[in-house]
Amino acid sequence: MRARATLSAVLLISLWGGLAAASDVASVARIVVTPAEDPAAERMVALLGLRAGQPVDRQRLREGVHAAFATGEVEYLRVEQRVGDDGVEVAVHLSFRALVERVEVTGVSGRLRRRVRDWFELRAGDVATAGGAETGVRRCQHELEERG
């Protein structure tokens, strides 16, 4: 996570560091976000300090990248720009981490259901990973085998 955040931040800084002086004063004409359908994407654009009609504040953008990764929601973030006659078009490419929405245990009694949920060690809001799920399954199997 930290390596990816650093790599993305370095990429972002190198992109913005190499811009022509004209783009430093040009206003943002358009902001294109991918994936556009994610409701959190608009919040991330605001966090980056990007607003149509205003010039890009590179320092605020750098701080926004760090803040976006600090939320724990962002897995990947890339910002690109293209200078045109009407201003700067900014493209923000985002990938969000998959989060657990809910954990449901079925097929066992209420008391055992709570224990299985605890053994699994996966809660709503946790980052969902295949490794974490597999570890939880093995832990549950081990606990159930010990109890017969």
Side-chain angles (χ1 to χ4, degrees):
M1 157 71 183
R2 188 177 231 47
R4 185 174 281 189
T6 304
L7 176 62
S8 296
V10 168
L11 173 65
L12 177 72
I13 291 166
S14 67
L15 280 171
W16 288 106
L19 296 178
S23 67
D24 288 341
V25 294
S27 294
V28 175
R30 280 176 303 291
I31 301 170
V32 180
V33 181
T34 334
E37 67 277 355
D38 197 311
E42 196 169 313
R43 191 178 77 237
M44 289 299 156
V45 169
L47 193 60
L48 294 173
L50 297 171
R51 291 193 189 96
Q54 295 186 354
V56 175
D57 180 344
R58 294 188 305 182
Q59 179 61 34
R60 170 103 192 256
L61 185 58
R62 284 185 195 105
E63 292 169 0
V65 168
H66 292 290
F69 280 106
T71 66
E73 297 175 57
V74 176
E75 182 174 45
Y76 176 79
L77 169 63
R78 185 177 80 226
V79 178
E80 301 172 333
Q81 66 89 42
R82 184 179 56 181
V83 179
D85 292 337
D86 58 344
V88 178
E89 179 179 289
V90 179
V92 179
H93 304 277
L94 288 164
S95 174
F96 292 98
R97 292 178 173 267
L99 300 178
V100 175
E101 186 174 308
R102 88 174 176 256
V103 178
E104 187 175 320
V105 179
T106 60
V108 294
S109 69
R111 185 174 174 193
L112 185 56
R113 185 178 307 130
R114 281 189 297 278
R115 283 187 173 173
V116 168
R117 197 177 314 128
D118 290 343
W119 295 332
F120 204 79
E121 293 183 5
L122 190 60
R123 309 283 184 264
D126 288 351
V127 175
T129 65
E134 182 64 31
T135 301
V137 168
R138 277 185 280 187
R139 188 179 303 110
C140 289
Q141 287 173 336
H142 174 77
E143 293 291 340
L144 290 170
E145 287 171 0
E146 276 192 2
R147 284 160 176 66

